[in-house]
Amino acid sequence: MSQLVIKGLQVGVETESGLTEILRGVDLTINSGEVHAIMGPNGSGKSTLAYSIAGHPKYTITGGAVTLDGVDVLEMSVDERAKAGLFLAMQYPVEVPGVSVANFLRTAATALRGEAPKVRTWVGEVKDAMSKLAMDPAFSERSVNEGFSGGEKKRHEILQMELLKPKIAILDETDSGLDVDALRIVSEGVNRVKQEQNLGIMLITHYTRILRYIKPDFVHVFAGGKIVEEGGPELAERLEEKGYAQYVKA
């Protein structure tokens, strides 16, 4: 069992007028096997939470703590966070021209495991994972995310998650840019990895449509840089009906 604990997290970003506060004291605990949906309007701080935990240099931690299995995450470099078991699926995955998906995945696995996976075993792992995500085997020879459709980019993110076996996964608007079929395939992939690897998941989204496929155990509403309401799946249903207006006004 693993546990990600966020206590009183405060985060700012440098602007022309100085350091602007975005997160104003976030408290959240995610355990293995749990799905936590983070919902809220644009600009509420959801993605800032994700990237701050992952170690993006754009964001400045001004207070609070983040630990994974009792170890201080904020003192780790970005690669150390990945090795510790944190995974971030980005809303807009970056392109890496000239680096094939196959090389990228094996290099990442080598960095995390401390040694290169045996080629024969690794090729089988990759082919099996790609098959489950309905990905053409030729996909592995393409440059990372270069010319990929929205659905291909998100499937590639879930492919990474399945192969790299993190403890806690942060999925930043994974449903963004997906059609109905791609959403179903990606969601099935997330559910499969969660079940097989007892993965803890922070699922950031504006909409409830992905929650019809990936059932949350907990729903947290973000507004003004903090969590303003928490509940179970029924809270997401209420948000679908009434929206975020009440939280924005408050």
Side-chain angles (χ1 to χ4, degrees), residues 20-199:
T20 299
E21 188 179 36
I22 300 178
L23 298 187
R24 298 176 169 88
V26 176
D27 296 297
L28 180 63
T29 298
I30 301 175
N31 296 301
S32 294
E34 295 177 349
V35 175
H36 291 250
I38 309 294
M39 306 186 71
N42 284 325
S44 59
K46 303 184 305 298
S47 291
T48 296
L49 175 63
Y51 286 94
S52 298
I53 295 171
H56 196 297
K58 173 183 176 181
Y59 301 100
T60 301
I61 309 298
T62 57
V66 179
T67 60
L68 178 60
D69 297 336
V71 180
D72 189 350
V73 168
L74 301 181
E75 289 297 319
M76 299 178 186
S77 63
V78 173
D79 62 316
E80 287 172 340
R81 297 181 198 206
K83 290 176 181 177
L86 288 175
F87 177 86
L88 172 65
M90 296 180 285
Q91 180 181 1
Y92 303 110
V94 297
E95 296 183 1
V96 189
V99 178
S100 71
V101 169
N103 285 337
F104 173 80
L105 291 172
R106 192 160 190 263
T107 299
T110 299
L112 291 179
R113 300 179 186 184
E115 62 179 7
K118 295 180 180 178
V119 175
R120 185 176 299 177
T121 304
W122 177 248
V123 169
E125 284 184 52
V126 174
K127 285 184 177 179
D128 183 55
M130 290 179 69
S131 174
K132 291 174 182 176
L133 288 165
M135 299 170 72
D136 188 325
F139 183 91
S140 64
E141 300 308 315
R142 295 171 63 183
S143 291
V144 174
N145 292 324
E146 189 174 32
F148 287 15
S149 67
E152 287 175 330
K153 289 179 179 178
K154 297 306 171 70
R155 287 191 223 191
H156 182 217
E157 295 282 286
I158 304 309
L159 176 66
Q160 293 173 49
M161 186 176 76
E162 180 161 2
L163 293 169
L164 300 180
K165 298 178 171 55
K167 297 176 181 177
I168 303 290
I170 302 169
L171 310 182
D172 186 19
E173 300 197 32
T174 295
D175 51 342
S176 176
L178 298 184
D179 60 27
V180 174
D181 291 328
L183 177 63
R184 176 182 53 80
I185 292 170
V186 165
S187 298
E188 288 174 352
V190 172
N191 288 330
R192 182 179 63 255
V193 176
K194 171 185 172 288
Q195 182 176 4
E196 293 176 354
Q197 302 180 16
N198 198 30
L199 182 66

